[in-house]
Amino acid sequence: MVRPYAIKGKKRKNRGEKYDKEEQEHEEQVEEEEREPAKRAAIEKPTEEVEGKEEKEGGEAGTDELEGIPIAPSNKKNNKNGVIFVLEKASLEVAKVGKSFQLLNSDDHANFLRKNNKNPADYRPDITHQALLSILDSPVNKAGRLQAVYVRTEKGVLFEVKPHVRIPRTYKRFSGIMLQLLQKLNITAVGKREKLLRVIKNPVTNYFPVNSRRIGFSYSSDKLAKMRKYVDAVGDDVNLVFVVGAMAHGKIEVDYIDDFIAISGYPLSAAMCIARITEALADKWSIL
C-alpha cells in the first residue's frame, strides 16, 4: 500500500522540476533578447565591411578582367604610328563534307572539290595560316607597333585578328579555329569577354586610321623597290597599311591601294613577303 504514495510523490517531484526548468528557460530567453541588439550590430558591421570589400574587389576585377591579354601592347609608347596588315583573297571556305562542316583544303578535299567542278589548287588555307604566324611572331608586333590585322576571304568575308592573339601553331588546330570563326562570327578568349577574332562589316577602309598610306604587293608590278629604302622614305607621321595577297596565284585587285610595288625579282610567298616588310620596319624603328 506504500507504493502508490511513492509514485505520487515522484510525480510531484517531476512536476516541480518541470516548473523550475520552464522558469530557467524563460530567464535565458529574456537574457538572449537583451543581448540580441548587440549581436546584431556586431554581425551587421562585418557584413557591411565584406560587402564593401567585395564591391572594391569587383571594381578591381572589372579593371583587370583581361589581365594577361592586354588590350594594347605594353611596349607601345607616346602613341607612335604603327602598321596594319591586310590579307586579301584568303582561301577560307567552309562546306559540308559528309556529315560535318569542314574548312576546305587541297590535300584533304581534292576529290570533293573536283566533284563540284572546283580547282583544288585554289583552296590553300595554309597560306593564311603561315602569313598570320609571320605577322604575329614578328618583333614589330612584340614591340607593340602592330595596330591591327584584317583578313578578307575569296568570298568577301572580312574579319579582324587582334595583335595579341596567339594563333595555333599546327594547321589542324588553325583549321578548327577558322571553322568556328566563320560559323559563329567571333571567337573569345577562354573565360574572358574580349573577342580575339571577329567578323566585321566591309569595306576594310572604314577601319584605317587617318593619314595612312596603303601599299600593295605584286610580282607583276613594274615598280621594283628595296623594302628598307621604301619605308625609310615614308614620314614618321604616316600610318602604313600593307596589303598582301593570301592566295596561291594571281594578283590582288582592290581599289583602295595608293601604291603597287614589287620587293623582289622573284615570286615570293605571302609569309616571305611579310617577313621582308617586318624586317625593314624593325630596322626603321630600331627594334632588335
Side-chain angles (χ1 to χ4, degrees):
M1 298 301 293
V2 178
R3 188 174 298 170
Y5 293 99
I7 294 172
K8 186 175 181 181
K10 188 175 181 180
K11 287 182 179 179
R12 191 181 298 116
K13 181 179 179 181
N14 290 341
R15 187 179 300 170
E17 290 178 356
K18 181 178 180 181
Y19 292 154
D20 293 339
K21 186 175 181 180
E22 289 177 354
E23 184 177 358
Q24 184 178 0
E25 289 177 354
H26 177 69
E27 292 175 355
E28 290 177 356
Q29 183 177 0
V30 172
E31 292 177 359
E32 184 68 19
E33 291 177 354
E34 292 176 354
R35 291 195 302 266
E36 187 66 21
K39 281 186 178 181
R40 190 175 302 166
I43 291 173
E44 289 176 355
K45 185 177 181 181
T47 303
E48 293 173 355
E49 293 176 357
V50 171
E51 289 176 354
K53 185 177 180 182
E54 288 176 351
E55 290 177 359
K56 185 177 180 181
E57 291 177 354
E60 292 177 354
T63 303
D64 300 335
E65 184 178 1
L66 302 178
E67 185 177 358
I69 307 180
I71 296 176
S74 58
N75 290 336
K76 190 173 182 179
K77 298 178 181 180
N78 301 327
N79 295 324
K80 295 179 180 178
N81 290 326
V83 59
I84 294 174
F85 281 94
V86 181
L87 301 179
E88 284 282 355
K89 299 183 70 174
S91 179
L92 300 171
E93 185 175 340
V94 176
K96 189 172 184 179
V97 182
K99 296 182 179 180
S100 62
F101 286 93
Q102 299 179 24
L103 185 69
L104 297 177
N105 67 82
S106 58
D107 291 332
D108 300 328
H109 308 105
N111 293 332
F112 173 83
L113 292 170
R114 291 192 187 99
K115 288 179 181 178
N116 289 273
N117 299 320
K118 296 181 179 181
N119 184 8
D122 294 336
Y123 291 81
R124 294 285 308 279
D126 57 294
I127 297 176
T128 304
H129 182 212
Q130 295 169 8
L132 286 175
L133 288 176
S134 183
I135 295 171
L136 299 175
D137 286 346
S138 67
V140 171
N141 183 33
K142 306 290 185 183
R145 301 301 290 268
L146 178 64
Q147 293 183 347
V149 180
Y150 301 102
V151 181
R152 182 153 56 184
T153 70
E154 184 71 31
K155 298 292 185 181
V157 179
L158 178 67
F159 64 88
E160 178 188 10
V161 181
K162 295 291 185 179
H164 49 267
V165 68
R166 182 175 174 82
I167 293 294
R169 300 286 162 174
T170 62
Y171 171 75
K172 185 176 181 180
R173 291 186 60 197
F174 171 78
S175 177
I177 291 291
M178 290 296 106
L179 178 64
Q180 181 182 351
L181 172 64
L182 294 174
Q183 288 182 322
K184 296 185 177 181
L185 306 183
N186 65 74
I187 295 177
T188 58
V190 178
K192 309 293 182 182
R193 296 180 180 178
E194 185 186 16
K195 295 179 180 179
L196 300 179
L197 297 94
R198 63 188 181 104
V199 174
I200 56 179
K201 293 182 179 180
N202 281 293
V204 68
T205 52
N206 289 344
Y207 309 98
F208 293 163
V210 180
N211 193 25
S212 61
R213 184 173 180 81
R214 307 152 189 182
I215 304 108
F217 296 85
S218 175
Y219 167 67
S220 61
S221 174
D222 296 331
K223 187 177 180 180
L224 182 62
K226 191 173 182 179
M227 200 63 220
R228 174 62 193 277
K229 290 183 178 180
Y230 187 88
V231 296
D232 284 344
V234 179
D236 294 334
D237 60 336
V238 177
N239 293 282
L240 293 169
V241 178
F242 294 108
V243 185
V244 181
M247 62 286 189
H249 52 80
K251 179 183 177 180
I252 52 176
E253 297 177 356
V254 291
D255 57 358
Y256 60 83
I257 291 178
D258 299 322
D259 197 7
F260 251 117
I261 66 172
I263 57 174
S264 175
Y266 305 95
L268 300 178
S269 65
M272 186 63 209
C273 180
I274 291 167
R276 285 200 170 188
I277 297 169
T278 55
E279 184 179 359
L281 291 174
D283 290 340
K284 175 183 174 64
W285 293 328
S286 300
I287 300 173
L288 300 178

